[in-house]
Amino acid sequence: MNRRSLIYIAAILAAIAVLLAVSGGVRATVGGLRISVRSPIPISTAALALVGVWWILARGARSIQPDLVEAWSALARRSSRVVVAIAAVSAVTAGVFATHSAAGADASGYLSEAAQWSAGELFYRDALPGAIGAADPWITAPLGWRPTGTTGVQAPTYPPGLPLLMAIPHALGGTMAASLVIAAGAGIAVWATAAVAAQLAGGIAGVLAAALLAVTPVFLYQSVQPMSDVPVTAAWMVMWLLLVRGSGRVLLAGLCCAIAVLIRPNLAPLAAVPLMVIGFHRRRLVAFSLPVAVAGLALMWLQWQWYGSPLRSGYGTADELFAFVNIAPNATRYLSWLVATSPVLLIAPAGVAVAWRQAPAKALAAFATLVVAAYLVYAVFEVWSYLRFLLPALAVAAVFTSVAVASAIARLPASSMAAAVLAVVLGLMAHGVSQARALDAFRLADQQRRVSQVADYLAGMSADAVIVAGEQSGALRYYSGRSILRWDAASPDALARAIGTLATGGRPIVIALDAWENEPFRAKLGALPAVSLEWPPAFEAGTSHRTRVWRLSDRDAFLRGERVNTDRVP
């Protein structure tokens, strides 16, 4: 090992120590082997020791400054390898902390639609509406699905892009394999974002962009969940990379754009922005536009089949989703969330100014601006994680932020540049990972495991059991295959009639609620004796987040004074 290698090893150990310090350590089970590393002290001590040894050796050789200059030169030469390493770590992190869970509306919607695609089915057919004669078909459609004009036939709420990407992995390995699509997307998004930055401002900008996106809290938060935000960011950024490199791979860029459109159709108009780079060369224009047009036509056909109109999405019509009155509240929320979680991205305009003379920079800036504009008029949400809508724009912001920072570092003495890059990267890691940890990004798997545990409990019930649920209605049907009654979509009278019909037919009925649903459930339906929840739950799962299951058959036993046992799973 030569003297200068000590610097590189110390830098790697310093990065690991920072990650351990701000993340609380790593605990994971891989192949049955439990891995636990918590304290950063031994690793940081080793890093300092290596720096000390290098300092003594370099001072004796009168080579401190030459070594630091060579470290900078080596980093610049090997920047692409560093980027690949950061992207790989991002993908592995997403895989290790992945929820592998269908909990909630979005995850269950994407996974259940992927299951339908893997089975070659466009619709889900549910016998329950016909069995209970439901006048309102919405009460039997779980979250992630919506009724069609045919009794018992339901269409997915979500666009087809991500479920199509998940379909083959889901067919081969179920939920876990399908979730790996997100982890792969995280690695690809980081790599592509870095490569775009490198094209604009060199390899150091690429390293900074990779590190910045990889530790952006909302990116970390979404990279562990089976949702569309990270994959659509990956598709857009790979498209931009192919165009910015000017490699002539316009058809591949068009394919990436088509995938992005299928994943997130509301951003389809932004497919026109790449024309700023492509120009109006007929052959290149056709090569790019053809796959995008095919994707658009396929999407319109599916929307016609599912929702009765090629211009209607699963979320509703444009008039229902977009309004100018949303601009002010959304602007306030997005800005406050960005300042709270990723303030460094606010430097991006400085990077735009640095790179403005390059045509790709203008197109990237226009793209990011239009992404933000599209969501300023979109529906208003109250939770910080909806910053995820802007992830494609945030990836571009990471590009321009890295351009600005790399430009500033380039003004330093050569002997200080490597240390400056290391300090910036370590600072980004410390802030981003600590924020993500505070926002529970690394605890989501533990929090959401309760839903599959509830499903395992329900799997022991009769196959014709019916689940009354709300937030986890999509997840519980996905896992258990049992029919659903949506309490949040049903009127008290409609739910009472449905339960009465099912009870007369002897079908088991259970109520499954997340803890936060108990109060609104009782407020809406507490007057119905059958669902008053005055008896103990039969099953309870979860730690900081709880989900409980009540069997309606336990109510009469409880009223007779008999004891109802509750099974609890942490």
Side-chain angles (χ1 to χ4, degrees):
M1 181 185 296
N2 63 48
R3 183 183 67 245
R4 289 169 180 167
S5 297
L6 299 175
I7 302 175
Y8 311 142
I9 297 172
I12 294 171
L13 292 178
I16 294 172
V18 168
L19 285 175
L20 290 175
V22 298
S23 68
V26 175
R27 289 169 291 173
T29 301
V30 181
L33 178 65
R34 185 172 179 80
I35 301 171
S36 179
V37 183
R38 294 189 179 184
S39 175
I41 295 176
I43 295 177
S44 56
T45 302
L48 290 172
L50 289 176
V51 171
V53 171
W54 164 78
W55 180 271
I56 293 170
L57 294 176
R59 186 176 182 183
R62 296 182 179 179
S63 187
I64 291 177
Q65 283 202 351
D67 281 5
L68 292 173
V69 172
E70 172 56 27
W72 168 256
S73 178
L75 177 59
R77 290 195 308 271
R78 300 187 176 103
S79 60
S80 60
R81 298 181 187 179
V82 177
V83 164
V84 169
I86 295 173
V89 170
S90 182
V92 170
T93 301
V96 168
F97 290 99
T99 63
H100 302 301
S101 174
D106 291 345
S108 67
Y110 289 120
L111 287 167
S112 58
E113 187 178 343
Q116 289 297 113
W117 280 115
S118 63
E121 298 287 344
L122 283 180
F123 300 93
Y124 185 92
R125 287 171 170 79
D126 185 7
L128 183 61
I132 63 175
D136 182 0
W138 284 97
I139 71 172
T140 55
L143 289 175
W145 293 83
R146 55 186 298 138
T148 64
T150 304
T151 301
V153 178
Q154 297 167 1
T157 300
Y158 295 95
L162 179 58
L164 282 169
L165 293 176
M166 288 177 162
I168 293 177
H170 193 284
L172 296 175
T175 305
M176 183 169 291
S179 297
L180 293 179
V181 171
I182 313 303
I188 293 169
V190 168
W191 168 77
T193 299
V196 171
Q199 287 294 128
L200 293 180
I204 300 303
V207 171
L208 294 171
L212 178 52
L213 181 62
V215 299
T216 296
V218 72
F219 182 83
L220 281 168
Y221 195 84
Q222 294 306 125
S223 68
V224 300
Q225 302 183 73
M227 293 168 63
S228 66
D229 309 280
V230 169
V232 78
T233 301
W236 280 117
M237 294 312 294
V238 172
M239 180 207 75
W240 283 115
L241 174 60
L242 292 168
L243 294 177
V244 169
R245 279 184 171 174
S247 60
R249 297 175 179 174
V250 181
L251 178 61
L252 288 178
L255 287 171
C256 291
C257 186
I259 292 170
V261 166
L262 288 172
I263 295 174
R264 192 70 65 77
N266 67 303
L267 296 182
L270 274 63
V273 179
L275 300 182
M276 296 174 66
V277 177
I278 296 170
F280 291 94
H281 303 283
R282 182 180 300 175
R283 183 173 294 181
R284 289 165 58 84
L285 185 60
V286 170
F288 178 83
S289 302
L290 184 60
V292 178
V294 170
L297 291 172
L299 183 65
M300 292 174 71
W301 181 82
L302 284 171
Q303 291 181 165
W304 179 35
Q305 296 296 310
W306 285 339
Y307 317 124
S309 168
L311 302 179
R312 185 181 182 91
S313 75
Y315 304 111
T317 63
D319 290 343
E320 295 168 339
L321 297 173
F322 301 97
F324 287 113
V325 295
N326 295 335
I327 293 177
N330 273 332
T332 301
R333 285 161 176 78
Y334 289 140
L335 181 59
S336 63
W337 294 335
L338 188 62
V339 169
T341 62
S342 306
V344 69
L345 291 176
L346 297 174
I347 300 173
V352 174
V354 170
W356 186 250
R357 292 186 179 182
Q358 303 179 57
K362 296 180 177 68
L364 282 164
F367 171 78
T369 301
L370 290 172
V371 170
V372 174
Y375 284 105
L376 285 178
V377 295
Y378 195 59
V380 178
F381 296 91
E382 301 295 337
V383 182
W384 81 273
S385 60
Y386 282 95
L387 191 60
R388 64 189 175 86
F389 288 155
L390 306 188
L391 261 179
L394 297 183
V396 174
V399 168
F400 286 120
T401 298
S402 68
V403 168
V405 174
S407 176
I409 290 174
R411 299 188 184 98
L412 299 174
S415 58
S416 303
M417 290 180 175
V421 171
L422 180 62
V424 170
V425 170
L426 293 182
L428 291 174
M429 290 168 53
H431 180 268
V433 175
S434 62
Q435 285 289 309
R437 181 190 181 194
L439 294 166
D440 284 348
F442 306 119
R443 297 180 59 197
L444 285 173
D446 288 337
Q447 293 173 1
Q448 295 183 6
R449 188 175 296 113
R450 72 191 192 279
V451 180
S452 59
Q453 292 171 337
V454 168
D456 289 341
Y457 170 78
L458 296 175
M461 300 186 65
S462 170
D464 66 347
V466 176
I467 306 168
V468 179
E471 178 68 16
Q472 303 304 338
S473 54
L476 293 178
R477 188 172 79 175
Y478 169 76
Y479 282 123
S480 72
R482 270 65 174 182
S483 293
I484 296 293
L485 282 175
R486 281 268 304 280
W487 73 264
D488 52 329
S491 67
D493 289 343
L495 189 63
R497 285 194 299 271
I499 289 175
T501 300
L502 293 169
T504 300
R507 296 182 65 170
I509 303 170
V510 299
I511 302 170
L513 302 176
D514 281 348
W516 69 266
E517 293 181 279
N518 289 0
E519 185 175 341
F521 181 90
R522 287 190 171 99
K524 180 177 182 178
L525 304 167
L528 300 178
V531 294
S532 60
L533 305 187
E534 57 189 326
W535 67 100
F539 185 80
E540 186 172 352
T543 51
S544 60
H545 295 64
R546 309 290 290 174
T547 301
R548 300 180 179 90
V549 178
W550 289 262
R551 293 184 303 223
L552 264 64
S553 59
D554 288 340
R555 178 176 179 272
D556 292 339
F558 177 75
L559 293 177
R560 291 194 299 269
E562 299 175 13
R563 182 177 179 180
V564 176
N565 293 323
T566 298
D567 294 327
R568 291 182 173 86
V569 178

